[in-house]
Amino acid sequence: MMRLSMTRKGPMPPTVLSAVTVIAVSFAGSAALAHDDHCAAIAASVAQAGFNDRVSVSCTEDHAVISSDTYPDHDLMTGIVGTNEQVPVPAKYAAPILLSPVLGQTPLTRDAALGVAVNGVPIYDYTGGGEMSVADLAHHQAQHDTVQTGQLDICGGHAGRGDDYHYHAKPTCMIETMANSGNDAIIGWAFDGFPIYGDVNPDGSEIAEGALDICNGQPDAVFGYRYHTSPDAPYVVQCLMGVVSDFDKLPRVRPLEHVSGDKLGPGRPPRGGVDDLVFSQKDDGQRSMDYTYQGEDYFIRYAPAETPGCYDFQTRTVTNGGEVKSGEFCR
């Protein structure tokens, strides 16, 4: 397990758990936090949520790096109908959050994560395959909406093309497990350095109609700006309003690589969806996703291989015509 660590200039607050409260009082009404205080706020958001036993935060001159294995400690894959026949596998991930955020003039979008939840799980926009462009932001992409097409589990996430778990909507199950769950709890951070909150303002008041901008954000007295989740599309951050000079270099989860046995191509959603999809896991690392399609049973199963970071897979998928395949894959 990873421990919470911070590298910063100057003394730390009396306790990291009280850092956000101290900062909010000291900087209320300011445009943004100073570098070190922003670092403390990001670290405190993870610690207060109760995730610092599985997520680490370290600060450099420019970023707070939130590191994890992207594999949350809550229910996974339950409720998915429009499965892409991919399965969640732990993946090392280091999310860089800017410590001196600045609002820009042009929204930024990409076919990968736009931020990270406080439990270390990446946060994407609501589309399933990065179909969003800047020109599309003002128009709901219903055909690519992961919520409306049944691609997400009851927790707001699913496994992507890299067999990596991530959120496309409000991370409901994570929020339920947060030690500090409440309206004022930060649930994640966008890569541009601004925080992400839930469906209402931090003081519990309703967000006025039309208050959220095209990226699902609005001004904030402490951080200068903040994002929100929402019951309706776009559900979560759909673009970044801050300046990110290295936007094209932001991290992506490394996909699994074939080592031996049968090769497995990327999964394709079976037409009409599947039934009774269940994801189960054992303490020894064995995991299985089982479902039916047109009366036939299918599955994707894996267990840790002898080589660290590698897994032995056995699958029977609609994508592969029902043929049973097995092989070893590594991150």
Side-chain angles (χ1 to χ4, degrees):
M1 291 187 177
M2 297 176 284
R3 301 299 299 174
L4 178 67
S5 63
M6 294 177 58
T7 302
R8 50 170 279 154
K9 300 176 181 178
M12 284 290 295
T15 64
V16 71
L17 294 180
S18 64
V20 167
T21 301
V22 171
I23 291 167
V25 171
S26 300
F27 289 84
S30 64
L33 298 184
H35 172 284
D36 286 3
D37 297 306
H38 208 96
C39 170
I42 293 170
S45 69
V46 173
Q48 288 186 325
F51 297 128
N52 59 343
D53 62 337
R54 38 192 311 122
V55 178
S56 69
V57 179
S58 60
C59 290
T60 67
E61 195 68 28
D62 300 314
H63 297 90
V65 181
I66 299 177
S67 301
S68 73
D69 65 0
T70 74
Y71 199 90
D73 188 20
H74 62 60
D75 190 15
L76 296 173
M77 311 302 281
T78 298
I80 291 178
V81 175
T83 178
N84 54 13
E85 296 200 295
Q86 306 281 166
V87 68
V89 181
K92 291 183 179 180
Y93 189 70
I97 311 302
L98 281 170
L99 291 175
S100 299
V102 177
L103 285 174
Q105 300 296 319
T106 304
L108 301 174
T109 182
R110 68 194 293 249
D111 63 341
L114 295 171
V116 63
V118 289
N119 66 347
V121 174
I123 296 175
Y124 286 53
D125 68 37
Y126 71 85
T127 62
E131 294 89 357
M132 192 82 71
S133 69
V134 173
D136 295 326
L137 293 173
H139 308 285
H140 179 223
Q141 308 297 303
Q143 72 275 28
H144 302 305
D145 187 322
T146 52
V147 174
Q148 295 188 8
T149 54
Q151 297 181 48
L152 302 186
D153 60 23
I154 59 174
C155 301
H158 71 170
R161 288 168 292 183
D163 290 296
D164 56 309
Y165 189 83
H166 54 254
Y167 300 120
H168 284 276
K170 180 180 179 179
T172 54
C173 297
M174 181 202 76
I175 292 172
E176 291 173 357
T177 66
M178 290 173 61
N180 64 335
S181 180
N183 297 325
D184 60 348
I186 293 172
I187 65 172
W189 294 88
F191 286 135
D192 58 10
F194 296 111
I196 305 169
Y197 289 86
D199 291 351
V200 299
N201 292 310
D203 63 4
S205 62
E206 296 294 322
I207 297 173
E209 185 176 354
L212 298 183
D213 62 24
I214 200 167
C215 293
N216 239 28
Q218 64 176 338
D220 182 84
V222 176
F223 296 98
Y225 181 84
R226 66 176 184 262
Y227 297 98
H228 285 275
T229 61
S230 56
D232 301 315
Y235 312 112
V236 72
V237 180
Q238 77 160 350
C239 53
L240 300 183
M241 284 302 299
V243 176
V244 184
S245 59
D246 54 353
F247 187 68
D248 292 334
K249 298 180 181 179
L250 288 173
R252 298 173 183 266
V253 173
R254 181 179 179 182
L256 291 168
E257 296 182 0
H258 174 254
V259 175
S260 62
D262 297 318
K263 290 186 177 181
L264 301 175
R268 298 188 301 273
R271 185 181 296 274
V274 303
D275 297 309
D276 305 320
L277 188 149
V278 175
F279 183 77
S280 58
Q281 46 192 328
K282 298 181 179 179
D283 293 339
D284 62 1
Q286 294 185 60
R287 284 143 188 171
S288 180
M289 190 172 79
D290 298 83
Y291 49 98
T292 61
Y293 180 66
Q294 297 182 350
E296 293 287 330
D297 294 333
Y298 296 89
F299 59 83
I300 302 176
R301 299 168 183 160
Y302 71 89
E306 292 184 3
T307 304
C310 297
Y311 302 89
D312 293 320
F313 272 76
Q314 185 179 51
T315 70
R316 182 176 189 258
T317 64
V318 180
T319 297
N320 290 323
E323 181 181 353
V324 176
K325 295 191 174 188
S326 59
E328 183 177 352
F329 296 81
C330 303
R331 284 291 180 193

